[in-house]
Amino acid sequence: MSRKVKANILSITISLLVTILLTSLLLIVIGKNPMQIYSMLIGEVFGTGYGFGQALFKATPLIICGCGLALCFQASLFNIGAEGQLNIGAFVMSVIAYTFDDYLGLMVIPAAIAGGFAASALWGLIPAFLKIKRGVSEVITTIMMNFIALALVNYLLIEFLAVKSTVRTEKILETAFIPKLSEYSSLFQGSSANITLFVAILLAILMYFIFYRTRYGYEIRSVGLNPVASRYLGVKTNRVILWSFLIGAGLTSFVGINFIFGYKGYYEFGFSNNLGFTSIAVTLLAKNNPIGIIFTALLFGVLDYGGLAVNTAVPKEIMLVFQALVILSILAVDKAVKIYYLKEE
Amino acid sequence: MIESILSLTFLAQVLRMFTPYYLGASAANFSERGGVINIAIEGFMIISAFSYAFFTLSFGNPFLSLILSVIVSLLFSFLYAFLTIKLKINQIVTGVGFNLLMAGTAKFLMMLVYQSSSNTPNFQQIPGLPFVSDIPVIGKVAGDYIILSGFALVFISQYVLFRTRFGLRLRSVGENPEAAETLGVKVRLYKMYGVLVCGALSALGGIWLASNQSSFSDGMIAGRGYIAIAAMIIGKWKPVNIFLACLMFAFFEGLEITLQISGSFLPSQIIQMLPYLITILVLIGFIGKTKPPAADGIPY
């Protein structure tokens, strides 16, 4: 194992421990017994098939969105706009799915997925284009475009497409739903986990392969580490930035598969519930490594459902605090490991 | 329609909306003039709005609560400064983390203390200036300490940034830290001052929103921290231009509210988009050239 890999494992472990410690302190301060809360959480999530299924269901979109973000982050593109990109994509996906199901039958599923991907990618094209052509930082543009995306979707829903007195689109055909895990194993009885989970895991494996085993991945990472040097080595930097942004943004739309085809059957305003931001935490914690993202997404999925499980003892919002502390501690611990273990600075 | 826009009520509305934008935008400006990007203004506003609600519901004294909430925001700002300046961690990512932390903490504590996921109980607003507050229509605005401070801040920040030794040093640290250091300026200390001023000013914005609404509710900051950053960019990091940008955004928001009441030709979502669309147009260079401080966002 290289020293770099050891350093990564070290910093992930320490930051998780730091986060657990800080959360425990917070629990003690408010007069709760941390051990009791944790055992409640673990008992509920890992003790019942339903609980575990729900954690997998919550982890699925985090894996997908995390993979899209990893593609941007590997190229050092700070895409803060996943929230907007995925809402645009999922919205278009559902509109295609219920509009064309009469003509296309089940072929409407790939058509809707392709349409959603294209819409999200198009939304990512704008900041990518501005970065390449005008040198505008993608951070500000993606933040601004989050708000534009949400307002636009809200406008289209309320003025034209929403089912009366709701903020959701029409439902897709019953036959277009994709199978739930509970149809294969009674273990997951009643949980919403569906085969999108496997799509997500395959996506992560594919991304891992691209990043570390292909020329494209090598170019993406070299642009991320040093764009100027990459250009001298013959990498077409702008092309790498453009495609990473397009595909990265496009991939975020796949969270719609889980929600629309796997769960509700329609797009609902607010369904993402800050998913685009939580995914940033998931991706950072995994150090932009897609295989790592599967595990960090699972951790966040467990926390997400676990919050509901412990809600009787302590407000479930404690998990929001936990997730935020994970990001901040991985950032700080990473620096410490760089200085004291890798002796880099 | 036109009458409702030309009225004093509308003017008062715009001036009220202006206040949190300008406090937030000046906050962002002090931080970025020192070379530290802070996209966590939204989070700072959230945590200070909640703190204000908590303190005033617990102690009842609005001015004491105001001071305590500013202190809470300063503590978080100090942590932000430590991570981004001392440890030189990427400022964008730290900002995202802080936004999640402060929004999550406020939600958690609201549920814990008030058993509600939507809002705290109501409390008294910060009392206004005596006599002035009793003037009809505009009295509430003209007698509001924080609104008045917001207007004073236009002159104060212009003066502090461009006419004092502190301002000169702060700007030098944001433009060229190496040169500043050779001249004996304590670079990291000044960057920290910038971040702390930012924390205090954004706290005032959050406190004003909570006091004005007489409660804290989930989602009440509603992206104002980001609009503040947008106003700073459009205002090209200059206090007077930022003032005009904030006034424009406040006009849009006032318009949105008025149109919702009086029936509209433009849907409110389109007006909501305008600040962000204009910002992108400015960044592209359609509306004049913008130039951030040269060393903005680069750790030193």
Side-chain angles (χ1 to χ4, degrees):
Chain A
M1 220 191 291
S2 74
R3 205 166 166 79
K4 200 101 189 185
V5 175
K6 277 188 199 160
N8 277 347
I9 294 173
L10 190 67
S11 60
I12 291 169
T13 317
I14 297 178
S15 56
L16 281 177
L17 287 176
V18 169
T19 309
I20 292 172
L21 189 74
L22 288 173
T23 313
S24 307
L25 280 177
L26 181 61
L27 287 171
I28 292 170
V29 168
I30 62 167
K32 308 282 175 189
N33 179 354
M35 290 330 271
Q36 189 200 339
I37 304 284
Y38 296 144
S39 61
M40 227 174 127
L41 188 155
I42 290 167
E44 185 65 36
V45 175
F46 296 99
T48 67
Y50 172 76
F52 190 61
Q54 285 305 88
L56 290 177
F57 174 68
K58 303 254 183 198
T60 307
L62 291 170
I63 300 174
I64 294 170
C65 195
C67 284
L69 286 178
L71 182 54
C72 298
F73 292 174
Q74 289 272 12
S76 268
L77 298 167
F78 283 113
N79 179 6
I80 314 288
E83 185 76 4
Q85 290 148 12
L86 69 90
N87 268 287
I88 291 278
F91 174 68
V92 169
M93 191 183 284
S94 96
V95 172
I96 294 177
Y98 78 75
T99 311
F100 296 106
D101 49 10
D102 290 344
Y103 314 104
L104 293 174
L106 284 186
M107 283 311 285
V108 82
I109 302 178
I113 293 172
F117 183 91
S120 289
L122 205 64
W123 205 251
L125 176 69
I126 301 167
F129 182 78
L130 292 181
K131 184 178 174 74
I132 294 165
K133 290 287 170 199
R134 294 274 177 168
V136 179
S137 153
E138 72 281 11
V139 173
I140 301 295
T141 39
T142 48
I143 290 176
M144 299 299 140
M145 289 191 63
N146 277 338
F147 291 101
I148 300 175
L150 291 174
L152 181 65
V153 170
N154 190 266
Y155 170 68
L156 292 174
L157 266 178
I158 294 191
E159 294 288 323
F160 306 107
L161 295 168
V163 174
K164 214 168 154 42
S165 72
T166 65
V167 284
R168 67 172 180 84
T169 56
E170 281 169 43
K171 211 164 176 176
I172 58 169
L173 286 180
E174 273 313 312
T175 48
F177 276 89
I178 57 176
K180 291 200 161 64
L181 293 188
S182 53
E183 290 170 30
Y184 302 108
S185 158
S186 57
L187 182 67
F188 298 108
Q189 202 63 55
S191 113
S192 317
N194 57 73
I195 56 168
T196 316
L197 174 68
F198 300 117
V199 176
I201 292 172
L202 280 177
L203 177 68
I205 294 169
L206 180 71
M207 295 304 281
Y208 179 85
F209 183 76
I210 292 174
F211 284 159
Y212 300 105
R213 295 283 181 274
T214 66
R215 193 172 60 107
Y216 302 112
Y218 178 77
E219 289 189 354
I220 291 165
R221 288 185 297 136
S222 83
V223 169
L225 286 171
N226 193 334
V228 180
S230 310
R231 193 170 302 142
Y232 282 113
L233 291 170
V235 178
K236 294 197 170 56
T237 330
N238 282 346
R239 194 189 286 178
V240 171
I241 291 175
L242 181 69
W243 285 105
S244 306
F245 224 122
L246 278 186
I247 298 175
L251 287 176
T252 64
S253 70
F254 287 178
V255 302
I257 307 175
N258 190 48
F259 189 81
I260 299 165
F261 292 107
Y263 180 41
K264 288 279 193 185
Y266 49 76
Y267 170 90
E268 187 167 31
F269 192 72
F271 91 98
S272 56
N273 192 16
N274 274 344
L275 179 63
F277 294 99
T278 318
S279 305
I280 296 177
V282 166
T283 313
L284 286 177
L285 186 61
K287 325 275 288 159
N288 304 333
N289 179 326
I291 302 295
I293 288 173
I294 299 177
F295 293 100
T296 52
L298 202 57
L299 171 73
F300 272 54
V302 167
L303 291 173
D304 218 355
Y305 177 69
L308 294 173
V310 300
N311 204 15
T312 47
V314 66
K316 64 177 189 300
E317 286 79 6
I318 185 86
M319 294 305 159
L320 297 175
V321 180
F322 188 98
Q323 291 175 347
L325 286 174
V326 169
I327 302 200
L328 293 174
S329 60
I330 185 94
L331 293 170
V333 171
D334 237 18
K335 277 286 163 176
V337 167
K338 258 196 186 131
I339 295 168
Y340 296 108
Y341 183 74
L342 291 174
K343 314 245 188 265
E344 268 182 14
E345 279 164 49
Chain B
M1 171 66 213
I2 296 294
E3 300 87 80
S4 55
I5 291 179
L6 289 176
S7 67
L8 268 180
T9 326
F10 183 75
L11 179 70
Q13 176 84 286
V14 169
L15 296 182
R16 283 170 53 239
M17 292 299 137
F18 160 83
T19 303
Y21 289 153
Y22 194 69
L23 288 167
S26 306
N29 195 28
F30 271 98
S31 183
E32 295 214 357
R33 280 291 184 172
V36 181
I37 295 176
N38 189 348
I39 61 164
I41 308 273
E42 178 86 2
F44 283 104
M45 282 180 154
I46 294 174
I47 200 72
S48 41
F50 175 78
S51 309
Y52 180 75
F54 173 76
F55 290 128
T56 197
L57 284 166
S58 312
F59 306 131
N61 183 332
F63 291 101
L64 175 70
S65 309
L66 189 147
I67 292 166
L68 288 174
S69 328
V70 172
I71 292 174
V72 169
S73 181
L74 284 176
L75 289 176
F76 276 103
S77 304
F78 188 75
L79 183 63
Y80 185 83
F82 176 77
L83 293 176
T84 55
I85 300 168
K86 180 83 177 153
L87 295 183
K88 300 183 199 172
I89 297 172
N90 181 298
Q91 295 159 10
I92 304 300
V93 183
T94 312
V96 172
F98 263 72
N99 274 333
L100 291 177
L101 178 68
M102 293 186 280
T105 307
K107 269 187 166 177
F108 169 67
L109 291 176
M110 181 160 71
M111 196 67 203
L112 184 75
V113 182
Y114 306 108
Q115 286 83 41
S116 162
S117 60
S118 57
N119 58 282
T120 64
N122 277 9
F123 46 79
Q124 288 280 313
Q125 295 190 344
I126 300 175
L129 277 173
F131 308 117
V132 184
S133 307
D134 302 330
I135 303 171
V137 191
I138 58 157
K140 287 287 278 178
V141 171
D144 186 311
Y145 291 108
I146 298 183
I147 292 181
L148 294 176
S149 320
F151 280 95
L153 190 60
V154 183
F155 304 100
I156 297 171
S157 51
Q158 177 75 22
Y159 180 78
V160 168
L161 282 173
F162 297 99
R163 291 280 178 276
T164 64
R165 196 158 67 167
F166 171 82
L168 180 67
R169 289 184 171 174
L170 185 70
R171 286 185 295 126
S172 74
V173 159
E175 292 290 343
N176 191 338
E178 289 84 3
E181 181 141 62
T182 40
L183 293 171
V185 177
K186 292 199 171 68
V187 173
R188 291 182 182 176
L189 189 67
Y190 272 85
K191 280 178 179 291
M192 192 183 76
Y193 288 153
V195 172
L196 291 181
V197 172
C198 172
L201 291 177
S202 41
L204 280 182
I207 292 165
W208 183 83
L209 283 166
S211 162
N212 181 59
Q213 187 188 293
S214 299
S215 74
F216 173 84
S217 57
D218 186 36
M220 69 178 287
I221 307 297
R224 285 189 176 84
Y226 295 107
I227 294 190
I229 294 172
M232 174 197 68
I233 294 169
I234 294 176
K236 301 173 184 180
W237 290 265
K238 295 192 181 93
V240 176
N241 293 359
I242 296 173
F243 167 79
L244 296 173
C246 289
L247 215 50
M248 175 175 74
F249 288 167
F251 174 78
F252 288 144
E253 197 176 343
L255 194 65
E256 187 195 326
I257 295 166
T258 313
L259 288 181
Q260 265 172 6
I261 297 166
S262 63
S264 78
F265 58 96
L266 259 180
S268 66
Q269 295 96 332
I270 302 294
I271 301 172
Q272 276 168 19
M273 279 184 219
L274 282 175
Y276 308 109
L277 276 174
I278 293 170
T279 310
I280 289 180
L281 290 179
V282 168
L283 283 168
I284 300 173
F286 280 168
I287 312 173
K289 194 94 191 100
T290 54
K291 198 168 92 25
D296 205 9
I298 304 164
Y300 183 76

